[in-house]
Amino acid sequence: MNETASNNTLLIVDDDEPLRLRLARAMEKRGYQVQTAESVAVGIQMARARPPAYAVVDLRLADGNGLDVVSAIRQARQDARIVMLTGYGNIATAVAAVKAGAVDYLPKPADADDVDRALKVGNAAHPPPPDEPMSAERVRWEHIQRVFELCDRNVSETARRLKMHRRTLQRILAKRSPQ
């Protein structure tokens, strides 16, 4: 890697210690200077003290939302390339991550190659179209999840906006996402 030391700093913020440490080791092997944090508070503190060129941030952390870390990184360093990593993937959270300043959004488990590729791909690059587009059931589920997130996870308000019975919505939300 021909980048200067100031351009390959990487902050990994994830409360899953085995994943965080494994990803940190793998990214160090790829030439990054890695710092790790296990919480929103520590991630924000590190981002302000030493703004990273790259960051991988988990969406849901024990002490809050990873989007707060993304915002802090973006304020400290406008050109930072940030990837959101989460086990709770849906379109609504992906949109929120991109609006906060992330350049990509990867579902867990993501390997180090996927993370490295997402951090380095140019802003103009577009992903290839999917080989198998989402099913109609999956599109419906994603829409419901998006409205649910926009209503701050309030079931009654979401049901009202979707014009469906609250119990019906609760049953839908309790199920796993369709494929």
Side-chain angles (χ1 to χ4, degrees):
M1 189 182 271
N2 292 336
E3 297 173 321
T4 62
S6 64
N7 287 336
N8 67 350
T9 54
L10 171 65
L11 175 60
I12 299 173
V13 183
D14 198 316
D15 54 2
D16 180 349
E17 185 176 10
L19 173 84
R20 184 179 67 242
L21 297 177
R22 189 172 51 250
L23 183 58
R25 282 191 305 273
M27 298 310 279
E28 283 173 347
K29 289 179 182 176
R30 288 167 173 76
Y32 292 93
Q33 294 179 352
V34 180
Q35 298 182 96
T36 63
E38 67 283 346
S39 67
V40 171
V42 175
I44 290 172
Q45 181 183 21
M46 292 177 122
R48 289 178 179 156
R50 186 176 170 213
Y54 302 99
V56 177
V57 182
D58 189 11
L59 181 65
R60 292 191 184 171
L61 298 159
D63 67 335
N65 194 318
L67 294 175
D68 296 334
V69 179
V70 172
S71 296
I73 293 168
R74 188 60 65 211
Q75 288 172 358
R77 185 169 181 162
Q78 285 290 322
D79 66 336
R81 298 198 45 89
I82 306 163
V83 171
M84 290 299 298
L85 191 63
T86 185
Y88 304 93
N90 65 44
I91 291 173
T93 54
V95 169
V98 171
K99 282 183 178 179
V103 296
D104 207 343
Y105 181 90
L106 298 175
K108 286 182 180 178
D111 68 12
D113 290 332
D114 293 336
V115 172
D116 188 41
R117 204 172 9 262
L119 288 170
K120 291 183 178 170
V121 71
N123 287 333
H126 296 288
D131 291 332
E132 296 180 31
M134 284 192 282
S135 66
E137 294 84 22
R138 176 66 185 204
V139 171
R140 177 179 180 256
W141 187 85
E142 291 283 354
H143 175 67
I144 289 169
Q145 290 295 320
R146 181 173 185 272
V147 174
F148 187 52
E149 291 294 328
L150 291 172
C151 292
D152 294 323
R153 304 180 67 79
N154 181 315
V155 174
S156 297
E157 179 64 17
T158 303
R160 186 186 67 75
R161 289 185 184 202
L162 292 172
K163 296 178 176 52
M164 69 171 45
H165 194 276
R166 185 179 55 81
R167 289 189 189 261
T168 302
L169 176 61
Q170 285 175 315
R171 282 193 295 275
I172 291 168
L173 293 172
K175 291 181 184 176
R176 295 180 139 233
S177 65
Q179 296 302 317

